[in-house]
Coordinates of all heavy atoms in Angstrom, one line a residue:
L1 N 0.8 -1.2 0.0 CA 0.0 0.0 0.0 C 0.9 1.2 0.0 O 1.9 1.3 0.7 CB -0.9 0.0 1.2 CG -1.9 -1.1 1.4 CD1 -2.6 -1.0 2.7 CD2 -2.8 -1.1 0.2
V2 N 0.5 2.2 -0.7 CA 1.2 3.5 -0.8 C 0.3 4.6 -0.5 O -0.8 4.7 -1.0 CB 1.8 3.7 -2.3 CG1 2.5 5.0 -2.4 CG2 2.7 2.5 -2.7
L3 N 0.8 5.5 0.4 CA 0.1 6.7 0.8 C 0.8 7.9 0.2 O 2.0 8.0 0.4 CB -0.1 6.8 2.3 CG -0.9 5.7 2.9 CD1 -1.0 6.0 4.5 CD2 -2.3 5.7 2.4
V4 N 0.1 8.8 -0.4 CA 0.7 10.0 -0.9 C 0.1 11.2 -0.2 O -1.1 11.3 0.0 CB 0.4 10.2 -2.5 CG1 0.9 11.5 -3.0 CG2 0.9 9.0 -3.2
G5 N 0.9 12.1 0.3 CA 0.5 13.2 1.1 C 0.4 14.5 0.2 O 0.3 14.4 -1.0
C6 N 0.3 15.6 0.8 CA 0.1 16.9 0.1 C 1.4 17.5 -0.4 O 1.4 18.5 -1.1 CB -0.6 17.9 1.0 SG -2.2 17.4 1.4
G7 N 2.6 16.9 0.0 CA 3.9 17.5 -0.4 C 4.2 17.1 -1.8 O 3.4 17.3 -2.7
D8 N 5.4 16.5 -2.0 CA 5.9 16.1 -3.3 C 5.0 14.9 -3.8 O 5.2 13.8 -3.3 CB 7.3 15.7 -3.2 CG 7.9 15.3 -4.6 OD1 7.2 15.2 -5.6 OD2 9.1 15.1 -4.6
R9 N 4.1 15.1 -4.7 CA 3.2 14.1 -5.1 C 3.9 13.0 -6.0 O 3.3 12.0 -6.3 CB 2.0 14.7 -5.8 CG 1.2 15.6 -4.9 CD 0.0 16.1 -5.6 NE -1.0 15.1 -5.8 CZ -1.9 14.7 -4.9 NH1 -1.9 15.2 -3.7 NH2 -2.8 13.8 -5.2
T10 N 5.1 13.2 -6.3 CA 5.8 12.1 -7.1 C 6.5 11.1 -6.1 O 7.0 10.1 -6.6 CB 6.9 12.8 -8.0 OG1 7.9 13.4 -7.1 CG2 6.3 13.8 -8.9
Q11 N 6.5 11.4 -4.8 CA 7.1 10.5 -3.9 C 6.1 10.0 -2.9 O 5.3 10.8 -2.4 CB 8.3 11.2 -3.1 CG 9.4 11.6 -4.0 CD 10.1 10.4 -4.7 OE1 10.3 9.4 -4.0 NE2 10.3 10.5 -6.0
P12 N 6.0 8.8 -2.6 CA 5.1 8.3 -1.5 C 5.4 8.8 -0.2 O 6.6 9.0 0.1 CB 5.2 6.8 -1.6 CG 6.5 6.5 -2.2 CD 6.8 7.7 -3.1
E13 N 4.4 9.0 0.6 CA 4.7 9.5 2.0 C 5.0 8.2 2.9 O 5.7 8.3 3.8 CB 3.4 10.1 2.5 CG 3.6 10.8 3.9 CD 2.4 11.6 4.3 OE1 2.0 12.5 3.5 OE2 1.9 11.4 5.4
A14 N 4.4 7.1 2.6 CA 4.6 5.9 3.3 C 4.4 4.7 2.4 O 3.5 4.8 1.5 CB 3.7 5.8 4.5
I15 N 5.1 3.6 2.6 CA 4.9 2.4 1.9 C 4.7 1.3 2.9 O 5.6 1.1 3.7 CB 6.0 2.0 0.9 CG1 6.2 3.1 -0.1 CG2 5.8 0.7 0.2 CD1 7.4 2.9 -1.1
W16 N 3.6 0.6 2.9 CA 3.4 -0.5 3.8 C 3.2 -1.8 3.1 O 2.6 -1.8 2.0 CB 2.1 -0.3 4.6 CG 2.0 1.0 5.4 CD1 3.1 1.7 5.9 CD2 0.9 1.7 5.8 NE1 2.6 2.8 6.6 CE2 1.3 2.8 6.5 CE3 -0.5 1.5 5.6 CZ2 0.4 3.7 7.0 CZ3 -1.4 2.3 6.1 CH2 -1.0 3.5 6.8
A17 N 3.6 -2.9 3.7 CA 3.3 -4.2 3.2 C 4.0 -4.5 1.9 O 4.8 -3.7 1.4 CB 1.8 -4.4 3.1
G18 N 3.6 -5.6 1.3 CA 4.2 -6.0 0.1 C 3.3 -7.1 -0.5 O 2.2 -7.4 0.1
T19 N 3.7 -7.8 -1.5 CA 2.9 -8.8 -2.1 C 3.2 -10.1 -1.4 O 4.4 -10.5 -1.1 CB 3.3 -9.0 -3.6 OG1 3.1 -7.7 -4.2 CG2 2.5 -10.1 -4.3
G20 N 2.2 -10.9 -1.1 CA 2.4 -12.2 -0.4 C 1.2 -12.6 0.4 O 0.1 -11.9 0.4
R21 N 1.3 -13.7 1.1 CA 0.1 -14.2 1.8 C 0.4 -14.2 3.3 O -0.4 -14.8 4.1 CB -0.1 -15.7 1.4 CG -0.6 -15.7 -0.1 CD -0.8 -17.2 -0.6 NE -1.1 -17.2 -2.0 CZ -2.3 -17.2 -2.5 NH1 -3.3 -17.1 -1.7 NH2 -2.5 -17.2 -3.8
G22 N 1.4 -13.5 3.8 CA 1.7 -13.4 5.2 C 0.9 -12.3 5.8 O 0.2 -11.5 5.2
E23 N 1.1 -12.1 7.1 CA 0.5 -11.0 7.8 C 1.0 -9.7 7.3 O 2.2 -9.5 7.2 CB 0.8 -11.1 9.3 CG 0.1 -12.3 10.0 CD 0.4 -12.5 11.5 OE1 1.3 -11.7 12.0 OE2 -0.2 -13.3 12.1
G24 N 0.1 -8.8 7.0 CA 0.5 -7.5 6.5 C 0.9 -7.5 5.0 O 1.4 -6.5 4.5
E25 N 0.7 -8.6 4.3 CA 1.0 -8.8 2.9 C -0.3 -9.0 2.2 O -1.3 -9.5 2.7 CB 2.0 -9.9 2.6 CG 3.3 -9.8 3.3 CD 4.2 -11.0 3.0 OE1 3.7 -12.1 2.8 OE2 5.4 -10.8 3.0
F26 N -0.3 -8.6 0.9 CA -1.6 -8.7 0.1 C -1.4 -9.3 -1.2 O -0.3 -9.1 -1.8 CB -2.2 -7.3 0.0 CG -2.3 -6.6 1.3 CD1 -1.4 -5.6 1.7 CD2 -3.4 -6.8 2.1 CE1 -1.6 -5.0 2.9 CE2 -3.5 -6.2 3.3 CZ -2.6 -5.2 3.7
V27 N -2.4 -10.0 -1.7 CA -2.5 -10.5 -3.1 C -3.6 -9.7 -3.8 O -4.7 -9.9 -3.5 CB -2.8 -12.0 -3.1 CG1 -2.9 -12.5 -4.5 CG2 -1.8 -12.8 -2.3
Y28 N -3.2 -8.8 -4.6 CA -4.1 -7.9 -5.3 C -5.2 -7.3 -4.4 O -6.3 -7.8 -4.4 CB -4.8 -8.7 -6.5 CG -3.9 -9.1 -7.5 CD1 -3.6 -10.5 -7.6 CD2 -3.3 -8.3 -8.4 CE1 -2.7 -11.0 -8.6 CE2 -2.4 -8.7 -9.4 CZ -2.1 -10.1 -9.5 OH -1.2 -10.5 -10.4
P29 N -4.9 -6.3 -3.6 CA -5.9 -5.7 -2.7 C -7.1 -5.3 -3.6 O -6.9 -4.7 -4.6 CB -5.1 -4.5 -2.2 CG -3.7 -4.7 -2.3 CD -3.6 -5.6 -3.5
R30 N -8.3 -5.5 -3.0 CA -9.5 -5.3 -3.7 C -10.3 -4.1 -3.1 O -11.1 -3.5 -3.8 CB -10.4 -6.5 -3.8 CG -9.7 -7.7 -4.5 CD -10.4 -9.0 -4.4 NE -11.8 -8.9 -4.9 CZ -12.1 -9.4 -6.1 NH1 -11.2 -10.0 -6.9 NH2 -13.4 -9.4 -6.5
A31 N -10.1 -3.9 -1.8 CA -10.9 -2.9 -1.1 C -10.1 -2.4 0.1 O -9.4 -3.2 0.7 CB -12.2 -3.4 -0.7
I32 N -10.2 -1.1 0.4 CA -9.6 -0.5 1.6 C -10.5 0.5 2.2 O -11.2 1.2 1.4 CB -8.2 0.0 1.2 CG1 -7.5 0.5 2.5 CG2 -8.3 1.1 0.2 CD1 -6.0 0.9 2.3
T33 N -10.5 0.6 3.5 CA -11.2 1.7 4.2 C -10.4 2.1 5.4 O -9.6 1.3 5.9 CB -12.7 1.3 4.5 OG1 -13.4 2.5 4.9 CG2 -12.7 0.3 5.6
Y34 N -10.8 3.2 6.0 CA -10.1 3.7 7.2 C -11.1 3.7 8.3 O -12.2 4.2 8.2 CB -9.5 5.1 6.9 CG -8.9 5.7 8.2 CD1 -7.7 5.3 8.7 CD2 -9.5 6.8 8.8 CE1 -7.1 5.8 9.8 CE2 -8.9 7.4 9.9 CZ -7.7 6.9 10.4 OH -7.2 7.4 11.5
H35 N -10.7 3.2 9.5 CA -11.5 3.2 10.7 C -11.0 4.3 11.6 O -10.0 4.2 12.3 CB -11.4 1.9 11.4 CG -12.4 1.7 12.4 ND1 -12.6 2.5 13.5 CD2 -13.3 0.7 12.6 CE1 -13.6 2.1 14.3 NE2 -14.0 1.0 13.8
P36 N -11.6 5.5 11.6 CA -11.1 6.6 12.4 C -11.1 6.4 13.9 O -10.2 6.8 14.6 CB -12.0 7.8 12.0 CG -13.2 7.2 11.5 CD -12.8 5.9 10.9
G37 N -12.0 5.6 14.4 CA -12.1 5.3 15.8 C -10.9 4.5 16.3 O -10.5 4.6 17.5
L38 N -10.4 3.6 15.5 CA -9.2 2.8 15.9 C -7.9 3.3 15.2 O -6.9 2.7 15.5 CB -9.5 1.3 15.4 CG -10.7 0.7 16.1 CD1 -10.9 -0.7 15.5 CD2 -10.6 0.6 17.6
D39 N -8.0 4.3 14.3 CA -6.8 4.7 13.6 C -6.2 3.6 12.9 O -5.0 3.4 12.9 CB -5.8 5.5 14.5 CG -4.9 6.3 13.7 OD1 -5.2 6.7 12.6 OD2 -3.8 6.6 14.3
E40 N -7.0 2.8 12.1 CA -6.6 1.6 11.4 C -7.2 1.6 10.0 O -8.2 2.2 9.8 CB -7.0 0.3 12.1 CG -6.4 0.1 13.4 CD -7.0 -1.1 14.1 OE1 -7.9 -1.7 13.6 OE2 -6.4 -1.5 15.2
F41 N -6.5 0.9 9.1 CA -7.0 0.6 7.8 C -7.5 -0.8 7.8 O -6.9 -1.7 8.4 CB -5.9 0.8 6.7 CG -5.5 2.3 6.6 CD1 -4.5 2.8 7.3 CD2 -6.2 3.1 5.6 CE1 -4.2 4.2 7.2 CE2 -5.8 4.4 5.5 CZ -4.8 4.9 6.3
V42 N -8.5 -1.1 7.0 CA -9.0 -2.4 6.8 C -8.9 -2.7 5.3 O -9.3 -1.9 4.5 CB -10.5 -2.6 7.2 CG1 -10.9 -4.0 7.0 CG2 -10.7 -2.2 8.7
V43 N -8.2 -3.8 5.0 CA -7.9 -4.2 3.6 C -8.4 -5.6 3.3 O -8.2 -6.5 4.1 CB -6.4 -4.1 3.3 CG1 -6.1 -4.4 1.8 CG2 -5.8 -2.8 3.7
I44 N -9.1 -5.7 2.1 CA -9.5 -7.1 1.7 C -8.7 -7.4 0.4 O -8.7 -6.5 -0.5 CB -11.0 -7.2 1.4 CG1 -11.8 -6.9 2.7 CG2 -11.3 -8.5 0.8 CD1 -13.3 -6.9 2.5
D45 N -8.1 -8.5 0.3 CA -7.4 -8.9 -0.9 C -8.1 -9.9 -1.7 O -9.2 -10.4 -1.4 CB -5.9 -9.2 -0.6 CG -5.7 -10.6 0.0 OD1 -6.7 -11.3 0.2 OD2 -4.5 -10.9 0.3
R46 N -7.5 -10.3 -2.8 CA -8.1 -11.3 -3.8 C -8.3 -12.6 -3.2 O -9.2 -13.4 -3.6 CB -7.1 -11.4 -5.0 CG -7.7 -12.3 -6.1 CD -6.8 -12.2 -7.2 NE -7.3 -13.1 -8.3 CZ -6.7 -13.3 -9.4 NH1 -5.5 -12.7 -9.6 NH2 -7.2 -14.0 -10.3
T47 N -7.6 -13.0 -2.1 CA -7.8 -14.3 -1.5 C -8.8 -14.2 -0.4 O -9.0 -15.1 0.4 CB -6.5 -14.8 -0.9 OG1 -6.0 -13.9 0.1 CG2 -5.4 -14.9 -2.0
A48 N -9.6 -13.1 -0.3 CA -10.7 -12.9 0.6 C -10.2 -12.8 2.1 O -10.9 -13.1 3.0 CB -11.8 -14.0 0.5
R49 N -8.9 -12.4 2.2 CA -8.4 -12.1 3.6 C -8.7 -10.7 4.0 O -8.5 -9.7 3.2 CB -6.9 -12.3 3.6 CG -6.5 -13.8 3.5 CD -5.0 -14.0 3.6 NE -4.4 -13.1 2.7 CZ -3.2 -12.5 2.9 NH1 -2.6 -12.7 4.1 NH2 -2.6 -11.7 2.1
V50 N -9.2 -10.5 5.1 CA -9.5 -9.2 5.7 C -8.4 -8.9 6.7 O -8.2 -9.7 7.6 CB -10.9 -9.1 6.4 CG1 -11.2 -7.7 6.9 CG2 -12.0 -9.6 5.4
Q51 N -7.7 -7.8 6.6 CA -6.6 -7.5 7.5 C -6.8 -6.1 8.0 O -7.1 -5.2 7.3 CB -5.2 -7.6 6.8 CG -4.9 -9.0 6.3 CD -3.5 -9.1 5.9 OE1 -2.6 -9.0 6.6 NE2 -3.3 -9.4 4.6
R52 N -6.4 -5.9 9.3 CA -6.4 -4.6 9.9 C -5.0 -4.2 10.1 O -4.2 -4.9 10.6 CB -7.1 -4.7 11.3 CG -8.6 -5.0 11.2 CD -9.3 -5.2 12.5 NE -8.8 -4.4 13.6 CZ -8.6 -4.8 14.8 NH1 -8.8 -6.1 15.1 NH2 -8.1 -4.0 15.8
I53 N -4.7 -3.0 9.6 CA -3.3 -2.4 9.6 C -3.4 -1.1 10.3 O -4.2 -0.2 10.0 CB -2.8 -2.2 8.2 CG1 -3.0 -3.5 7.3 CG2 -1.4 -1.7 8.1 CD1 -2.1 -4.6 7.8
S54 N -2.5 -0.9 11.3 CA -2.5 0.4 12.1 C -2.0 1.5 11.1 O -1.5 1.3 10.1 CB -1.5 0.3 13.2 OG -0.1 0.3 12.8
A55 N -2.3 2.7 11.6 CA -1.9 3.9 10.8 C -0.4 4.0 10.6 O 0.1 4.6 9.7 CB -2.4 5.2 11.5
R56 N 0.4 3.2 11.5 CA 1.8 3.2 11.3 C 2.3 2.0 10.4 O 3.5 1.8 10.2 CB 2.5 3.0 12.7 CG 2.3 4.2 13.6 CD 3.0 4.0 15.0 NE 2.6 2.8 15.6 CZ 1.5 2.6 16.4 NH1 0.7 3.6 16.6 NH2 1.2 1.5 17.0
G57 N 1.3 1.3 9.9 CA 1.6 0.2 8.9 C 1.9 -1.1 9.5 O 2.3 -2.0 8.9
E58 N 1.5 -1.3 10.8 CA 1.7 -2.6 11.5 C 0.5 -3.5 11.4 O -0.6 -3.0 11.6 CB 2.1 -2.3 13.0 CG 3.3 -1.5 13.2 CD 3.4 -0.8 14.5 OE1 2.4 -0.7 15.2 OE2 4.5 -0.4 14.9
F59 N 0.7 -4.8 11.2 CA -0.4 -5.7 11.2 C -1.1 -5.8 12.6 O -0.4 -5.9 13.6 CB 0.1 -7.1 10.8 CG -0.9 -8.2 10.9 CD1 -1.8 -8.3 9.8 CD2 -1.0 -9.0 11.9 CE1 -2.8 -9.3 9.9 CE2 -1.9 -10.1 12.0 CZ -2.8 -10.2 11.0
V60 N -2.4 -5.6 12.6 CA -3.1 -5.7 13.9 C -3.9 -7.0 14.1 O -3.9 -7.6 15.1 CB -4.1 -4.5 14.0 CG1 -4.9 -4.5 15.3 CG2 -3.3 -3.1 13.9
G61 N -4.5 -7.4 13.0 CA -5.3 -8.7 13.0 C -5.9 -8.9 11.7 O -5.9 -8.1 10.8
G62 N -6.5 -10.1 11.6 CA -7.2 -10.4 10.3 C -7.9 -11.8 10.4 O -7.7 -12.5 11.3
W63 N -8.6 -12.0 9.3 CA -9.3 -13.3 9.1 C -9.6 -13.5 7.7 O -9.4 -12.6 6.9 CB -10.6 -13.3 10.0 CG -11.6 -12.3 9.5 CD1 -12.6 -12.4 8.6 CD2 -11.7 -10.9 9.9 NE1 -13.3 -11.3 8.5 CE2 -12.8 -10.3 9.3 CE3 -10.9 -10.1 10.8 CZ2 -13.1 -9.0 9.5 CZ3 -11.3 -8.8 11.0 CH2 -12.4 -8.3 10.3
R64 N -10.0 -14.7 7.3 CA -10.4 -15.0 6.0 C -11.9 -15.2 5.9 O -12.4 -15.9 6.8 CB -9.7 -16.3 5.5 CG -9.9 -16.5 4.0 CD -9.0 -17.6 3.5 NE -9.1 -17.7 2.1 CZ -8.6 -18.7 1.4 NH1 -8.0 -19.7 2.0 NH2 -8.7 -18.7 0.1
M65 N -12.5 -14.7 4.9 CA -13.9 -14.8 4.8 C -14.3 -16.3 4.6 O -13.7 -17.0 3.9 CB -14.5 -13.9 3.7 CG -14.1 -12.5 3.9 SD -14.9 -11.4 2.8 CE -16.5 -11.5 3.4
A66 N -15.3 -16.7 5.4 CA -15.7 -18.1 5.4 C -16.2 -18.6 4.1 O -15.9 -19.7 3.7 CB -16.8 -18.3 6.5
E67 N -17.0 -17.8 3.4 CA -17.5 -18.3 2.1 C -16.7 -17.7 0.9 O -17.3 -17.3 -0.1 CB -19.0 -17.8 2.0 CG -19.9 -18.4 3.1 CD -20.0 -19.9 3.0 OE1 -20.0 -20.4 1.8 OE2 -20.2 -20.6 4.0
W68 N -15.4 -17.7 1.0 CA -14.6 -17.0 0.0 C -14.8 -17.6 -1.4 O -14.6 -17.0 -2.4 CB -13.2 -16.9 0.4 CG -12.5 -18.3 0.5 CD1 -12.5 -19.2 1.5 CD2 -11.7 -18.9 -0.6 NE1 -11.7 -20.3 1.2 CE2 -11.2 -20.1 -0.1 CE3 -11.3 -18.4 -1.8 CZ2 -10.4 -20.9 -0.9 CZ3 -10.5 -19.3 -2.6 CH2 -10.1 -20.5 -2.1
T69 N -15.1 -18.9 -1.5 CA -15.2 -19.5 -2.8 C -16.5 -19.0 -3.6 O -16.6 -19.2 -4.8 CB -15.3 -21.1 -2.7 OG1 -16.4 -21.4 -1.9 CG2 -14.0 -21.6 -2.2
N70 N -17.4 -18.4 -2.9 CA -18.7 -17.9 -3.5 C -18.5 -16.5 -4.0 O -19.5 -15.9 -4.4 CB -19.8 -18.0 -2.5 CG -20.2 -19.4 -2.2 OD1 -19.9 -20.3 -3.0 ND2 -20.7 -19.7 -1.0
G71 N -17.4 -15.9 -3.9 CA -17.1 -14.6 -4.3 C -16.3 -13.8 -3.3 O -16.2 -14.2 -2.1
K72 N -15.8 -12.7 -3.7 CA -14.9 -11.9 -2.9 C -15.4 -10.5 -2.9 O -15.7 -10.0 -4.0 CB -13.5 -12.1 -3.3 CG -13.0 -13.5 -3.2 CD -11.7 -13.7 -4.0 CE -11.4 -15.1 -4.2 NZ -12.2 -15.8 -5.2
P73 N -15.5 -9.8 -1.8 CA -16.0 -8.4 -1.8 C -15.0 -7.5 -2.6 O -13.8 -7.7 -2.6 CB -16.0 -8.1 -0.3 CG -15.4 -9.1 0.4 CD -15.2 -10.3 -0.5
V74 N -15.6 -6.5 -3.2 CA -14.8 -5.5 -3.9 C -15.0 -4.1 -3.3 O -14.6 -3.1 -3.9 CB -15.1 -5.5 -5.4 CG1 -14.6 -6.8 -6.0 CG2 -16.6 -5.3 -5.6
G75 N -15.6 -4.1 -2.2 CA -15.8 -2.8 -1.5 C -16.1 -3.0 0.0 O -16.5 -4.1 0.4
L76 N -15.8 -2.0 0.8 CA -16.1 -2.1 2.2 C -16.1 -0.7 2.8 O -15.6 0.2 2.2 CB -15.1 -3.0 3.0 CG -13.7 -2.5 3.3 CD1 -13.2 -3.2 4.5 CD2 -12.8 -2.8 2.1
S77 N -16.7 -0.6 4.0 CA -16.7 0.7 4.7 C -16.9 0.4 6.2 O -17.2 -0.7 6.6 CB -17.8 1.6 4.2 OG -19.1 1.0 4.5
I78 N -16.7 1.4 7.0 CA -17.0 1.3 8.4 C -18.3 2.0 8.7 O -18.5 3.2 8.3 CB -15.9 2.0 9.2 CG1 -14.5 1.5 8.8 CG2 -16.1 2.0 10.7 CD1 -14.3 0.0 9.2
G79 N -19.2 1.3 9.3 CA -20.5 1.8 9.6 C -20.5 2.7 10.8 O -19.5 2.8 11.5
P80 N -21.6 3.5 11.0 CA -21.7 4.4 12.2 C -21.5 3.7 13.5 O -21.1 4.3 14.5 CB -23.0 5.1 12.0 CG -23.7 4.3 11.0 CD -22.8 3.5 10.2
D81 N -21.8 2.4 13.5 CA -21.7 1.6 14.7 C -20.3 1.0 14.9 O -20.0 0.4 15.9 CB -22.7 0.4 14.7 CG -22.5 -0.5 13.5 OD1 -21.6 -0.2 12.6 OD2 -23.3 -1.4 13.4
G82 N -19.3 1.3 14.0 CA -18.0 0.9 14.0 C -17.7 -0.5 13.4 O -16.6 -0.9 13.4
N83 N -18.8 -1.1 13.0 CA -18.6 -2.5 12.3 C -18.1 -2.3 10.9 O -18.4 -1.3 10.2 CB -20.0 -3.2 12.3 CG -20.4 -3.7 13.7 OD1 -19.5 -4.0 14.5 ND2 -21.6 -3.8 13.9
I84 N -17.5 -3.3 10.4 CA -17.0 -3.4 9.0 C -18.1 -3.9 8.1 O -18.7 -4.9 8.4 CB -15.8 -4.3 8.9 CG1 -14.6 -3.8 9.8 CG2 -15.3 -4.4 7.4 CD1 -13.5 -4.7 9.9
W85 N -18.4 -3.1 7.1 CA -19.5 -3.5 6.2 C -18.9 -3.7 4.8 O -18.0 -3.1 4.4 CB -20.6 -2.4 6.1 CG -21.3 -2.3 7.4 CD1 -21.0 -1.5 8.4 CD2 -22.5 -3.0 7.7 NE1 -21.9 -1.6 9.4 CE2 -22.8 -2.5 9.1 CE3 -23.3 -3.9 7.1 CZ2 -24.0 -3.0 9.7 CZ3 -24.4 -4.3 7.8 CH2 -24.7 -3.9 9.1

């Protein structure tokens, strides 16, 4: 994941993770959202893994969607109740 700030837009402000199947690694990220209450990002990749990453880029936790063979989400958000949708 690459974050670009308001400064030099040709250079990333931060680079987190890489390609792979380990904690904090992604296989074709499909969706990302930010949870302001926890100061974390939530990312879903092509293998239907949901991972929580801190604002500092550290792996916080994750799980794989139970019905991943029936399709993989391509969007997500944080609801007003704080749940991942």
Side-chain angles (χ1 to χ4, degrees):
L1 297 177
V2 177
L3 297 179
V4 178
C6 296
D8 182 356
R9 297 184 70 81
T10 64
Q11 297 297 315
E13 189 171 309
I15 300 175
W16 302 334
T19 302
R21 296 178 185 268
E23 293 179 349
E25 297 178 333
F26 306 100
V27 177
Y28 298 106
R30 298 170 63 99
I32 184 171
T33 193
Y34 176 71
H35 193 305
L38 298 176
D39 198 24
E40 295 176 352
F41 291 89
V42 181
V43 182
I44 299 177
D45 74 0
R46 185 176 180 182
T47 65
R49 291 181 310 143
V50 181
Q51 296 189 66
R52 294 173 37 224
I53 307 295
S54 75
R56 294 182 307 275
E58 301 161 341
F59 176 79
V60 176
W63 63 93
R64 187 169 192 193
M65 301 192 66
E67 299 294 329
W68 68 275
T69 58
N70 294 333
K72 299 163 192 80
V74 293
L76 74 153
S77 66
I78 304 298
D81 57 0
N83 288 328
I84 300 171
W85 293 89

